[in-house]
């Protein structure tokens, strides 16, 4: 009987071979001042030969050549490292958790300044930008080659190295942001100050498949679908093109399917100072 009981209760080889479940993910804390300074130095190195005036002129030249100078969705407006990190730190400190992994998507990425900043500031799995203008996309490719080569080779091992892609194409078109849908938390970033209503709605439509707890960041214009995207905060942030004035940045978080529409704050909430 004892031999039978031992055989009966002995763990199967399958059970013995099963690995223990992985530990739960640990949220990323906000970057402190020392880490921000070290990574900003790298960002500055990457873009030192591409100041905003050069990127803007590339945009103006192509829009003039293609007779699209007045297209509001193509007007150039870039952000720098400080803007991206300030927004990510607000999310991590006040509206997280923001876990390692996931995807950062820039809708209209220009020469890649926000995408590279995000890749340095958080351990995303992938950071992706979409840019429709050929001249900006070509310059972005040159910068990306430099960044993923000589610059990354010299970076400290503690700095994240997600996959970085700067795609020539329309973020709301075929092969755009909807092709990046996964189960992982995603941040969609849109410097939308000049975007028209049609394009804003297209961003919402193309973001339908991203999971709850993903974030949508818009500038000046709030997301037009507050049932799907809850506005967490409206905060003034100074951008390189705003002449020292704060541009209202809306931080939205995707609601679970059953959650009702939530209005945005009546007053603009001041951002915490950068550490």
């Amino acid at each position: 009987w004892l031999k039978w009981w031992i055989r009966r209760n002995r763990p199967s080889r399958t059970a013995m071979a099963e690995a223990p479940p992985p530990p739960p993910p640990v949220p990323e804390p906000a970057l402190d001042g020392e880490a921000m300074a070290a990574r900003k130095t790298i960002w500055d190195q990457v873009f030192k030969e591409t100041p905003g005036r050069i990127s803007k002129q590339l945009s103006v030249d192509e829009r003039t050549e293609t007779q699209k100078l007045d297209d509001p969705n193509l007007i150039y407006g870039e952000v720098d490292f400080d803007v991206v990190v300030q927004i990510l730190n607000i999310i991590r400190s006040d509206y997280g958790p923001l876990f390692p992994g996931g995807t950062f998507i820039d809708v209209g990425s220009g020469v890649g300044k926000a995408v590279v900043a995000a890749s340095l500031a958080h351990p995303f799995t992938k950071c992706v930008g979409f840019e429709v203008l050929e001249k900006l996309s070509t310059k972005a490719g040159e910068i990306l080659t430099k960044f993923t080569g000589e610059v990354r080779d010299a970076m400290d091992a503690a700095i994240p190295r997600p996959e970085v892609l700067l795609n020539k194409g329309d973020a709301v078109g075929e092969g755009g942001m909807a092709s990046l849908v996964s189960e992982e938390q995603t941040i969609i970033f849109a410097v939308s100050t000049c975007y028209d209503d049609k394009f804003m709605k297209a961003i919402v439509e193309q973001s339908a498949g991203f999971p709850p707890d993903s974030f949508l960041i818009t500038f000046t214009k709030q997301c037009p679908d507050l049932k799907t995207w809850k506005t967490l905060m409206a905060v003034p942030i100074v951008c390189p093109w705003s002449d020292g004035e704060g541009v209202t940045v809306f931080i939205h978080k995707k609601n679970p399917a059953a959650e009702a529409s939530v209005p945005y704050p009546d007053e603009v909430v001041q951002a915490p100072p950068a550490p």
Side-chain angles (χ1 to χ4, degrees), residues 209-269:
F210 291 102
D213 295 332
S214 292
F215 292 90
L216 171 62
I217 311 301
T218 61
F219 287 60
T220 307
K221 297 181 178 179
Q222 190 185 17
C223 172
D225 180 5
L226 295 180
K227 183 175 182 180
T228 302
W229 295 94
K230 175 183 178 180
T231 304
L232 302 176
M233 190 178 199
V235 54
I237 294 180
V238 176
C239 295
W241 42 270
S242 64
D243 296 325
E245 299 293 328
V247 177
T248 302
V249 175
F250 293 96
I251 301 176
H252 312 82
K253 193 171 188 179
K254 193 170 187 183
N255 289 324
E259 190 167 343
S261 173
V262 179
Y264 66 90
D266 292 329
E267 297 181 358
V268 172
V269 181

Side-chain angles (χ1 to χ4, degrees), residues 50-219:
T50 317
R53 58 180 175 79
I54 291 179
S55 306
K56 181 179 180 180
Q57 192 60 52
L58 289 172
S59 171
V60 170
D61 288 347
E62 182 165 344
R63 288 187 286 124
T64 301
E65 294 167 7
T66 57
Q67 299 183 345
K68 295 181 178 179
L69 189 60
D70 296 327
D71 186 337
N73 301 317
L74 298 179
I75 293 174
Y76 191 76
E78 65 181 27
V79 296
D80 57 19
F81 180 85
D82 291 338
V83 170
V84 174
V85 173
Q86 187 175 356
I87 292 169
L88 290 177
N89 272 353
I90 291 171
I91 292 173
R92 286 183 286 217
S93 297
D94 301 330
Y95 299 110
L98 186 60
F99 294 107
T103 305
F104 178 92
I105 300 172
D106 187 5
V107 179
S109 52
V111 296
K113 292 188 176 182
V115 175
V116 172
S119 77
L120 292 168
H122 184 80
F124 291 102
T125 300
K126 185 182 295 185
C127 294
V128 184
F130 293 93
E131 176 55 55
V132 298
L133 294 181
E134 185 71 39
K135 292 181 185 292
L136 290 175
S137 184
T138 298
K139 176 59 69 175
E142 297 170 1
I143 291 168
L144 182 59
T145 298
K146 176 182 177 181
F147 174 57
T148 56
E150 61 184 82
V151 175
R152 269 194 172 178
D153 289 344
M155 283 185 352
D156 186 274
I159 298 175
R161 289 166 168 79
E163 181 182 6
V164 178
L165 300 171
L166 296 174
N167 297 331
K168 167 69 172 66
D170 188 350
V172 299
E174 184 177 355
M177 57 191 286
S179 67
L180 299 172
V181 168
S182 73
E183 296 180 356
E184 291 190 298
Q185 195 173 32
T186 299
I187 292 181
I188 302 165
F189 188 89
V191 183
S192 54
T193 296
C194 295
Y195 290 170
D196 61 25
D197 292 344
K198 182 179 179 180
F199 195 74
M200 292 294 291
K201 291 177 181 178
I203 292 173
V204 171
E205 291 169 0
Q206 294 298 309
S207 65
F210 291 102
D213 295 332
S214 292
F215 292 90
L216 171 62
I217 311 301
T218 61
F219 287 60

